[in-house]
Amino acid sequence: MEQVRAVLNIDGGAPPAPPTSWGIVGADASAAGALARQVVESHGWRADHVAFGPQSDHWPFHLAGVPALMLFPRTTFEGMSSEAATDLNERWLSPHTPADEWHPDFPFAGLLRYAELALEIGRALAGDDFRPADQ
């Protein structure tokens, strides 16, 4: 564990359109959270702090003293009204239900943005500007 710089958990579901707001579990618990928030906000997007809890795979790392975050998309999408976003979510998002199945016509633009943002945050956490010892 002492060799792990940080953990970025991204099991927050597949957004059906490019998100413009994000939740970050652990955003206020370490320098990792501050750095993740900076990356999100550098795109002009919103980053909300979400309280820590044992809701996912990042939790054991947090308990072991490793800077741990969970990034997940909110339901505000680029160029879309709240009504349109609600309709899109009702059509595509049904995690942990029998309706949660792969469909060949799923709109992957949101998932692409999620993956690209996670990669950018991961690179920032691996970079020289992040010092996990400063936690």
Side-chain angles (χ1 to χ4, degrees):
M1 290 297 245
E2 54 278 347
Q3 294 179 3
V4 179
R5 289 176 60 102
V7 168
L8 177 61
N9 182 8
I10 54 169
D11 68 352
T20 58
S21 62
W22 304 86
I24 304 174
V25 174
D28 69 342
S30 70
L35 186 56
R37 179 175 251 146
Q38 279 180 326
V39 171
V40 171
E41 292 174 350
S42 75
H43 292 277
W45 303 327
R46 181 178 169 168
D48 297 319
H49 155 72
V50 179
F52 256 121
Q55 69 268 53
S56 197
D57 299 330
H58 61 278
W59 184 249
F61 293 93
H62 170 69
L63 292 178
V66 174
L69 306 171
M70 179 178 162
L71 175 70
F72 61 93
R74 297 287 197 179
T75 58
T76 305
F77 302 126
E78 187 173 292
M80 203 173 280
S81 70
S82 61
E83 293 87 13
T86 297
D87 290 345
L88 195 62
N89 279 315
E90 287 176 4
R91 162 86 170 97
W92 291 109
L93 294 182
S94 53
H96 308 293
T97 71
D100 189 13
E101 296 181 358
W102 180 82
H103 294 278
D105 54 340
F106 181 84
F108 281 97
L111 190 56
L112 177 62
R113 177 169 287 175
Y114 191 11
E116 289 173 340
L117 179 60
L119 177 61
E120 188 176 351
I121 292 170
R123 285 183 171 154
L125 292 171
D128 292 336
D129 291 339
F130 175 64
R131 292 177 177 73
D134 294 341
Q135 303 304 310

